[in-house]
Amino acid sequence: SSEGNKKSDSLMLCLDFCVDEGLLERDEKDCYRFSHDQVSSATFSLIPEKLRDSILFHIGEALLKRYSHVELENNIFVVTGLLNHGVKLISRDNKKCNLLSKLN
């Protein structure tokens, strides 16, 4: 949709700006990461505490969907750690609970 393209374009502009400012680094696979742990910590501190677990869980879900089997094996502790933040969010979803228990 046109609205989706606008959001995607806007996100890419923001990410490129952050790369230009030295806040993010982009690798050859177009994956982004914070340029320094302190940038990551400062950014995380801006997220309201009551939303942090949900955001971390959704990041974990996105990585789980995106990673290939090999990438998941190489990053299993990171993904599982992120998903563990959402245990309270998935307590009623048996499929997600079973998946998380297998990953742990």
Side-chain angles (χ1 to χ4, degrees), residues 33-97:
R33 66 183 51 38
F34 289 105
S35 59
H36 194 279
D37 289 344
Q38 289 181 343
V39 175
S40 175
S41 295
T43 303
F44 190 70
S45 73
L46 297 173
I47 300 170
E49 197 169 327
K50 65 182 179 182
L51 298 177
R52 290 179 187 172
D53 285 339
S54 175
I55 289 170
L56 291 172
F57 174 76
H58 290 299
I59 292 170
E61 276 190 316
L63 291 175
L64 188 61
K65 289 176 186 173
R66 180 174 184 207
Y67 278 162
S68 68
H69 182 72
V70 172
E71 289 173 315
L72 182 57
E73 282 184 3
N74 292 335
N75 295 286
I76 192 69
F77 295 115
V78 172
V79 173
T80 303
L82 290 165
L83 292 171
N84 282 336
H85 282 275
V87 169
K88 292 179 271 183
L89 304 171
I90 63 169
S91 62
R92 295 181 187 208
D93 187 332
N94 286 336
K95 185 177 176 183
K96 287 183 179 179
C97 285

Side-chain angles (χ1 to χ4, degrees), residues 15-30:
L15 290 171
D16 288 340
F17 175 79
C18 290
V19 169
D20 291 344
E21 293 296 312
L23 300 171
L24 293 176
E25 296 172 349
R26 181 177 43 209
D27 67 18
E28 64 280 348
K29 294 182 180 179
D30 285 335

